[in-house]
Amino acid sequence: MPSKTQVGILGATGMVGQRFIQLLENHPWFEVAWLAASDRSSGKKYGEAAKWRLDTPLPARVERMTVSPAEPEGATPGSVPRVIFAALDTAIAREMEPRFAEAGCAVISNSSAFRMAADVPLVIPEVNGDHLRLIEEQSWRRRSGGYMVTNPNCSAIGLVLALKPLEERFGLEKIFVTTMQAVSGAGYPGVPSMDILGNVVPYIGSEEEKMEAETLKLLGHLESSPGGHAVAPLAARISASCNRVPVEDGHTESVSIQLGDKLGRPVTREDILNAWAEFHPLAGKNLPSAPRLPVEFAPQDDRPQPRLDRNRGRGMTVTVGRLRPCGLLDWKFTLLSHNTIRGAAGAAILNAEMLASQGTLVPALPEAEAVGTAARA
Ligand SMILES: NC(=O)c1ccc[n+]([C@@H]2O[C@H](COP(=O)([O-])OP(=O)(O)OC[C@H]3O[C@@H](n4cnc5c(N)ncnc54)[C@H](OP(=O)(O)O)[C@@H]3O)[C@@H](O)[C@H]2O)c1
């Protein structure tokens, strides 16, 4: 059996870092070989440094691992893996992620720091895997082989998965979305309990702006010219309103849309249900984290609900329901997606699997180093 690719996790002790550890346990292609977090945690055993919050046991092997400093160069050359999953706060990611890319690592990032950079792919494999070609535009790639790929904000990802099959078949002109977002989306300890219990907070800093901009980039078109690749965002109008609600995991969204006229006739309920049901863009690729159904329709009047539906497809399926005509736009529906699986760690792992299936995940060693390695072998 070929050996697994060794991967590291930056921000390994946080909410998303813990999900990485959970989802990578027994992963058929990847093995966690390095964990890093802040100075508060570095040098400690992971079991002491992290307050494990998930409902599966902390893997014993990981519990005993020592948390490393968040530096791209280890004390021993080669001790930092060349594939890094990053789950850092945005401000820290902005400073730290480029250093890892510069050092020749593939940085598969969850943070918003570089999602909208023109040369950084913002990717959902079922939606816009072709945008991964943007890594060839990155200066790190040319200098060291390292590069950066990002996954979207946890509220944008569910929306875009539900919209992609509709945009493809019918076109999409207007999107009006209101979110009800889980507290785990704010990391740990996140929103104080006194603020959220029995309450709704109608503000999440920068969330609406991220959701609007990222949705249009994800649904945009990769344009290639002799000068390189660039993404032209989808020319649709979008308005997002984001709210924090007292739910542990799972973001719910109410969506109204105005479709385009690609069909040349009004779009029916059957057309929309068929577009969702027939959306299998990764079929046959055998990516271990890809769900059989990226988008699944729940026919019951009172679904989807976070507690009942967030774990569909092992947390990677977006559940849609309540499809009905909209009095202002054309159609409206409700969607639900798991914010720390499909909205974070699971999304990044699927991006890495997509890159691995294309043979581009592990950056090639720069020529001089490769020669040195061969000479030492
Ligand atoms: N939670 C979600 O649903 C979600 C969804 C999508 C994207 N994201 C994004 O993913 C990222 C991580 O979110 P989270 O919810 O996991 O946050 P979190 O629970 O607050 O975890 C933050 C992690 O960053 C580490 N860290 C803090 N300062 C550091 C430093 N100076 N150097 C190195 N590491 C440092 C922390 O280590 P210590 O434990 O040592 O402090 C911890 O491991 C954020 O950018 C967030 O916006 C989150």
Side-chain angles (χ1 to χ4, degrees), residues 10-18 36-42 49-50 70 86-90 92-93 96 110-112 115 151-154 183-189 210 251 339-340 343-345:
L10 258 179
T13 49
M15 287 301 301
V16 176
Q18 295 188 18
S38 77
D39 292 345
R40 288 180 291 279
S41 307
S42 129
L88 296 168
D89 300 318
T90 302
I92 296 152
M96 205 165 271
N110 265 280
S111 96
S112 61
R115 283 182 197 144
N151 54 262
N153 174 280
C154 46
V183 286
S184 60
Y188 186 84
K210 284 187 218 165
H251 289 353
N339 53 297
T340 59

Side-chain angles (χ1 to χ4, degrees), residues 86-365:
L88 296 168
D89 300 318
T90 302
I92 296 152
R94 201 179 300 285
E95 184 264 318
M96 205 165 271
E97 290 179 351
R99 291 173 48 214
F100 280 79
E102 186 69 52
C105 296
V107 179
I108 316 294
S109 167
N110 265 280
S111 96
S112 61
F114 294 96
R115 283 182 197 144
M116 295 305 295
D119 59 357
V120 174
L122 172 64
V123 171
I124 306 172
E126 290 97 332
V127 171
N128 63 337
D130 60 323
H131 292 199
L132 288 169
R133 269 183 258 159
L134 274 181
I135 63 178
E136 300 310 332
E137 308 304 320
Q138 298 178 3
S139 55
W140 309 298
R141 183 79 169 152
R142 288 192 289 276
R143 286 198 292 268
S144 66
Y147 63 90
M148 192 187 295
V149 167
T150 60
N151 54 262
N153 174 280
C154 46
S155 48
I157 199 162
L159 177 68
V160 170
L161 274 160
L163 292 180
K164 177 66 180 178
L166 312 185
E167 189 274 323
E168 246 172 17
R169 285 198 184 182
F170 318 124
L172 188 57
E173 292 180 356
K174 291 183 187 164
I175 308 154
F176 185 78
V177 56
T178 301
T179 70
M180 290 149 271
Q181 299 184 213
V183 286
S184 60
Y188 186 84
V191 193
S193 58
M194 291 288 279
D195 286 347
I196 196 69
L197 285 176
N199 203 13
V200 170
V201 180
Y203 175 71
I204 306 175
S206 306
E207 192 80 353
E208 293 170 355
E209 294 81 351
K210 284 187 218 165
M211 212 179 161
E212 293 172 356
E214 291 177 20
T215 295
L216 301 182
K217 180 173 179 181
L218 286 154
L219 292 171
H221 198 71
L222 186 76
E223 292 181 340
S224 300
S225 70
H229 306 291
V231 173
L234 182 72
R237 293 181 64 193
I238 177 166
S239 172
S241 300
C242 296
N243 305 281
R244 188 75 71 195
V245 297
V247 164
E248 192 186 352
D249 287 315
H251 289 353
T252 307
E253 303 178 21
S254 294
V255 188
S256 291
I257 48 172
Q258 182 172 313
L259 297 166
D261 57 8
K262 280 190 189 173
L263 267 192
R265 61 164 172 78
V267 174
T268 65
R269 178 182 162 85
E270 254 357 85
D271 291 330
I272 292 178
L273 294 179
N274 288 339
W276 280 330
E278 291 160 17
F279 184 60
H280 303 295
L282 298 181
K285 288 201 187 293
N286 297 321
L287 306 186
S289 303
R292 192 176 61 79
L293 299 175
V295 182
E296 184 173 17
F297 180 70
Q300 301 90 332
D301 285 341
D302 60 355
R303 302 285 277 275
Q305 294 181 22
R307 206 184 297 158
L308 301 179
D309 297 304
R310 63 188 165 211
N311 288 324
R312 288 192 192 214
R314 291 172 295 140
M316 291 295 282
T317 290
V318 174
T319 309
V320 288
R322 306 224 52 230
L323 176 65
R324 59 222 191 273
C326 174
L328 287 177
L329 303 179
D330 293 336
W331 290 94
K332 57 184 173 179
F333 58 92
T334 303
L335 71 84
L336 172 83
S337 68
H338 197 304
N339 53 297
T340 59
I341 301 181
R342 184 44 115 154
I349 293 170
L350 190 56
N351 278 350
E353 291 170 0
M354 184 80 172
L355 286 156
S357 75
Q358 296 172 352
T360 43
L361 177 63
V362 184
L365 283 172

